[in-house]
Amino acid sequence: MTAQIIDGNALSKQLRTEVAARAQALKAKGVTPGLAVVLVGDNPASQVYVRNKVKACEDSGLHSVLEKYEADMTEADLLARVEALNNDPSIHGILVQLPLPAHIDAQKVIEAISPAKDVDGFHIASAGALMTGMPGFWPCTPYGCMKMLESIGYDLKGKHAVVIGRSNIVGKPMALMLLQKNATVTICHSGTADLKAMTLQADVIVAAVGKRNVLTADMVKPGAVVLDVGMNRNDEGKLCGDVDFDGVKDVASHITPVPGGVGPMTITMLLVNTLEAAERAPN
Ligand code: NAP
């Protein structure tokens, strides 16, 4: 079996076209969806991420503002900026790029963002909404994974999904989303005794660890769907995921590549969340 590739670039393009059309419809009513991206410090990876986010907004007709601050910005000043953005009617989504410098309490900053503008979905209110099945913003990376499953018409009811990783931004929300769609879910982590015994039972595997070759072909049931969230570098310095793609593609029914899989979907879902924030906002 050679797995069908779930192409994150192609799916993103389709979803971004839909976002652009909905943004246009909102503009016709006098509302331009707006995202504020806040970057503190000069982390090179963060600079690339924020540039990509701002560009993606502009390409889809969303208004975006990039606020850059020196690494020695105080926590109080950052909290004041977040509060100003909370009160700015032209801004519907606020994203504070992580990681923040060590002297700033990142959780405190996230909790300062209005839940109505929490388009990253990291606020405790967003996490609570996801857990209880209430409306709220879903974290972009696992949300993108759900869209990828939807794009292949995959019905999770009765299926066993194994999520490898339990971070607050990927693994845990991923598990809750799969559960909400009626999968039976197992969450694995660094303390899992026999990862292979778990993954071999899975109809769907989401790898979100940050280590190369965490999932190899011998760990995958034939016909399983494999989503690779990981972002690592191989020996040649090239971007790769957590999954041994070349081996697993011969066992799985569907697989996401790295690059060109979950990565582009993450930014796309940020646009979707920002658009929805603007659609929900009182005019
Ligand atoms: P994280 O916070 O470091 O979490 C990693 C998780 O993997 C932890 O729960 C850890 O378990 C678990 N783990 C570590 N070693 C393991 C092992 N040998 N077997 C099973 N589980 C193991 O990372 P994250 O933020 O969730 O990100 C995960 C990966 O996704 C990273 O490569 C990151 O760069 C990537 N990522 C990609 C995107 C995208 O847009 N494509 C977005 C976000 C993240 P413990 O909890 O027990 O420590």
Side-chain angles (χ1 to χ4, degrees), residues 141 164-167 169-171 188-191 195 208-211 214 229-232 242 262-263 266:
T141 301
I164 318 174
R166 58 173 165 181
S167 72
I169 62 168
V170 189
C188 299
H189 46 80
S190 66
L195 182 63
V209 174
K211 287 182 186 159
V214 154
V229 178
M231 288 200 308
N232 312 295
D242 289 346
V262 175
T266 297

Side-chain angles (χ1 to χ4, degrees), residues 28 50 62 68 91 119 153 155 163 208 236:
V50 298
L62 274 62
K68 281 183 171 182
I91 294 299
V119 288
D155 182 4
V163 179
E236 290 81 49

